[in-house]
Amino acid sequence: MSRNSRTRLPLLIAVLATAAVIGTIDPAGA
Amino acid sequence: MNVVLGLYQWRARREHGWRLWTPEVRDPVFADGPSDYPPLGRLWLGMWHDFARWLWPPRETGALDVTACARVGSAIAFGITVWLIGAFAGRWFGPTAGWAAALCYVLMPRVSGHAHLANIETCMNLAFLAPILYVGQKWGATNPADGQPLAPRRQWLVAVVVGVLIGAAFLTKIQAVLLPIPIAAWTLIRWRGRGLAWLSVAGAVTVLVFFAGWPWLQIDPVAHLGEYLGRTVDRATLNCWYFGRKYADIDVPWHYPLVLFVGPVPAVMHIRAASGRSRRLQRHRRAQVLAAGEKSPAGPLPGPEDKRVDAAQSQSAIARTWLLGVSFVFVLTFFALPGIPVYDGVRLFLVAFPLWAMAAGAGAQHVKDWLAFRKSERTANTVLVIVLALQSYGILRFHPCELSYYSLPPSGLAGAELMGLERTYWQDSVTRSFLGEVVANVPEGATLYLAPQLHPSQAMYLLLQSPVLVDHGVQVRAYDDRFRDEIRYVVVFRRRADQWASLEPSPPGGTLLAEVQRVRVQLAALYELPPVETGEVETGESGRSGVRNAGENANSP
């Protein structure tokens, strides 16, 4: 696995995780 | 509270720009603090709040802030942390370690739960991890030529950047005080006198950044620094529910951080992190790397240069593992010390979780190498993917109540409940779908009573942040036994540490109208209480200990 893919895969996971969290924020109060 | 104060500071910075650092503007803007938290984490939330509110306009209720918008800030900080964990674990321990560590962090339910809330903890995890990773990267390298520590190029610039990063952590939350000791100890052992010089520069820059970045401190540095640190040690006592007993935060048994760390992290991650420390697996890893060239028909035999590079990488990985390990142990040990307050589950030592995810990534690399050596590359990858996929159970099953997640060691949430561990520490179990059920079960204009109320304005916040309640015309007030004869509907979230005895396990004669459960454990509920007969009401303390002060509840997510 190349050095690029070492950082690209975590970047992809990070982007997907961020999107998943934003998409599943519960808008209930407090 | 975090969001409101973050908005105040963010808008002050937008309005005044650099003039905010001049006494004429700074002094009136920051005359009243805030003094409980440094500004950076709140500023981050305030900035993302305004951006998200502009991008996705929410249903407005007239509130100054919309908590859900600020939660985007936590999500972004979480994503950056995931990327850093994956990128550095990949560089340090191998490609499998990279993606596995990133996924482990994502799949830690308590971490994910905090990432969904507008709190400082997720920002602090990022601010805490960044300097450790940078120090490990720059000061943890090994020279392949002689096997000795390799000094970074532009070493003084590196020391300055280390200081800036630690300063940023200090500007985020008080947990930053846990950074200098493990970093300094590791650096001094590795670099001796040279490390001392670097640390001196980094320390000076840290102090500079901390004071330059917090205008309120500049108004009266000595007095305000004393006030800030004083608030940390001299503040209202909070309660903590632990093994079926209520403790004051400074009296909690020493094993609390250990139990609360082991319990809520998926067990497989513990195994994986531990396997990263296995010497047998590490030997396997080295043997496998060296044998790779020999086994491959196309690959060249490893020459002496390859072996030296591999040895240097291995030594660097060990050194960096020590840095992660020392930092991790220091955090948990600190919170186990007598007199150090702990409460709210894992919240205070959440900064240890990214370090553990890195260790779990390293363990995954070793396990994968071992499996690939014994079986095949495909089998190894398949096993890892399956194991990681299984770990998503916690989040899928508990969302949006991940703060209530417990893993196998206490037999999940149900086992933890039986053992007397806290079910939830905040109001996250009062979910949107639950509020929908609430309005379906109470008449328009009804008054809901919230229990427990941890902050004087918590009930008001719940109302203002919930358009579904506002639309239904309901009022929300704090529950109090003294007004029991006025109370018909009560919304309870199951924080035992501050619960009214009259509502635990359920109010006598009360009718359950709606509830939030996970694995058959109640996390929040709506009860309709029966009318009170004259003379039946008890007044005064009902096994509840009081309300947090406004400053402490700055974590309102």
Side-chain angles (χ1 to χ4, degrees):
Chain A
M1 198 176 279
S2 71
R3 185 171 170 170
N4 271 346
S5 57
R6 288 185 190 207
T7 50
R8 277 185 196 159
L9 198 49
L11 183 60
L12 178 65
I13 294 171
V15 170
L16 292 176
T18 307
V21 171
I22 292 175
T24 54
I25 285 173
D26 190 280
Chain B
M1 190 62 70
N2 281 326
V3 182
V4 173
L5 294 173
L7 268 183
Y8 178 75
Q9 295 179 59
W10 167 243
R11 290 176 182 174
R13 273 164 173 78
R14 287 193 65 187
E15 185 179 339
H16 300 294
W18 62 270
R19 290 184 187 82
L20 203 57
W21 274 263
T22 61
E24 299 77 34
V25 177
R26 177 195 67 200
D27 290 5
V29 169
F30 290 105
D32 298 325
S35 61
D36 54 345
Y37 277 26
L40 196 55
R42 286 175 169 169
L43 203 59
W44 176 268
L45 294 180
M47 179 183 77
W48 285 103
H49 170 280
D50 275 2
F51 177 71
R53 200 172 187 174
W54 167 78
L55 191 61
W56 299 295
R59 291 270 312 283
E60 299 287 352
T61 61
L64 174 69
D65 63 311
V66 179
T67 308
C69 292
R71 289 171 175 166
V72 171
S74 285
I76 302 285
F78 171 70
I80 297 172
T81 312
V82 170
W83 175 63
L84 286 180
I85 288 172
F88 279 86
R91 279 184 173 195
W92 293 1
F93 307 120
T96 302
W99 63 262
L103 271 181
C104 281
Y105 189 68
V106 170
L107 296 175
M108 287 176 170
R110 297 277 183 137
V111 172
S112 170
H114 281 91
H116 283 83
L117 303 173
N119 54 28
I120 303 295
E121 279 64 36
T122 304
C123 300
M124 189 59 212
N125 274 14
L126 171 59
F128 194 86
L129 181 69
I132 293 175
L133 295 182
Y134 188 74
V135 165
Q137 180 66 27
K138 294 297 181 183
W139 295 346
T142 302
N143 190 344
D146 56 9
Q148 296 299 309
L150 178 65
R153 282 184 295 169
R154 289 179 283 191
Q155 53 182 320
W156 300 111
L157 179 62
V158 168
V160 169
V161 175
V162 169
V164 170
L165 290 174
I166 297 178
F170 269 87
L171 281 173
T172 305
K173 207 179 170 205
I174 190 72
Q175 271 88 340
V177 299
L178 303 177
L179 275 171
I181 290 178
I183 286 180
W186 179 86
T187 306
L188 288 174
I189 289 171
R190 185 168 171 81
W191 289 100
R192 316 270 173 189
R194 203 173 188 182
L196 185 63
W198 291 343
L199 288 170
S200 303
V201 172
V205 173
T206 297
V207 172
L208 203 65
V209 168
F210 184 54
F211 277 90
W214 196 353
W216 175 76
L217 271 188
Q218 298 156 20
I219 296 173
D220 189 348
V222 175
H224 281 180
L225 184 63
E227 186 180 332
Y228 170 56
L229 297 176
R231 282 186 71 99
T232 307
V233 293
D234 182 23
R235 53 160 182 69
T237 300
L238 304 177
N239 298 316
C240 181
W241 188 259
Y242 188 53
F243 284 120
R245 261 191 68 184
K246 183 166 74 179
Y247 292 91
D249 54 10
I250 55 171
D251 297 328
V252 177
W254 65 269
H255 38 78
Y256 179 85
L258 193 62
V259 170
L260 264 288
F261 179 76
V262 171
V265 174
V268 173
M269 294 187 195
H270 290 313
I271 296 167
R272 197 173 293 157
S275 68
R277 314 279 74 73
S278 159
R279 285 171 184 241
R280 189 177 166 195
L281 286 179
Q282 285 179 2
R283 279 200 299 275
H284 251 295
R285 162 84 175 137
R286 278 198 286 275
Q288 198 263 344
V289 168
L290 287 174
E294 293 162 1
K295 284 173 69 180
S296 166
L301 286 170
E305 184 62 25
D306 297 318
K307 287 184 179 177
R308 276 202 295 274
V309 170
D310 180 64
Q313 283 178 347
S314 183
Q315 284 180 28
S316 301
I318 291 169
R320 288 159 176 161
T321 304
W322 270 105
L323 175 62
L324 295 174
V326 167
S327 306
F328 173 82
V329 170
F330 187 76
V331 169
L332 286 195
T333 305
F334 177 82
F335 284 105
L337 292 175
I340 300 295
V342 279
Y343 50 87
D344 287 356
V346 302
R347 185 165 78 83
L348 299 190
F349 45 90
L350 199 70
V351 290
F353 283 61
L355 306 173
W356 201 240
M358 295 279 292
Q365 179 73 55
H366 291 308
V367 171
K368 186 250 172 184
D369 289 340
W370 182 76
L371 276 173
F373 193 64
R374 297 287 293 265
K375 302 288 181 185
S376 68
E377 190 87 4
R378 178 180 286 183
T379 308
N381 283 326
T382 307
V383 168
L384 274 185
V385 168
I386 290 174
V387 169
L388 278 170
L390 289 175
Q391 286 169 23
S392 59
Y393 163 81
I395 289 176
L396 296 176
R397 183 74 184 82
F398 277 74
H399 183 75
C401 305
E402 288 101 328
L403 298 190
S404 300
Y405 173 83
Y406 286 91
S407 177
L408 284 178
S411 301
L413 172 62
E417 155 73 0
L418 285 174
M419 290 163 67
L421 298 178
E422 188 66 282
R423 277 176 277 181
T424 181
Y425 88 78
W426 195 249
Q427 195 186 286
D428 58 303
S429 46
V430 179
T431 63
R432 187 189 204 187
S433 56
F434 172 70
L435 292 177
E437 288 183 55
V438 168
V439 296
N441 280 283
V442 302
E444 274 192 62
T447 301
L448 302 172
Y449 289 83
L450 179 70
Q453 170 160 275
L454 308 174
H455 176 266
S457 55
Q458 188 172 352
M460 181 197 72
Y461 258 84
L462 175 61
L463 177 64
L464 286 176
Q465 298 298 327
S466 308
V468 66
L469 296 182
V470 174
D471 291 349
H472 204 58
V474 302
Q475 297 296 313
V476 185
R477 294 183 188 154
Y479 179 90
D480 192 317
D481 274 348
R482 287 172 296 179
F483 311 122
R484 172 65 187 82
D485 54 340
E486 300 172 12
I487 297 174
R488 186 168 173 201
Y489 299 104
V490 57
V491 171
V492 186
F493 61 95
R494 293 301 181 187
R495 178 187 167 101
R496 295 290 300 274
D498 298 287
Q499 195 55 274
W500 293 89
S502 54
L503 300 177
E504 207 47 71
S506 59
T511 306
L512 179 65
L513 299 179
E515 68 176 340
V516 174
Q517 274 193 0
R518 292 294 183 275
V519 292
R520 285 186 273 181
V521 175
Q522 188 185 77
L523 301 177
L526 168 69
Y527 288 99
E528 182 176 2
L529 304 187
V532 179
E533 301 295 328
T534 311
E536 196 182 318
V537 180
E538 289 181 16
T539 57
E541 289 297 315
S542 295
R544 186 169 175 270
S545 56
V547 174
R548 295 179 176 199
N549 65 40
E552 174 46 37
N553 191 44
N555 68 311
S556 60

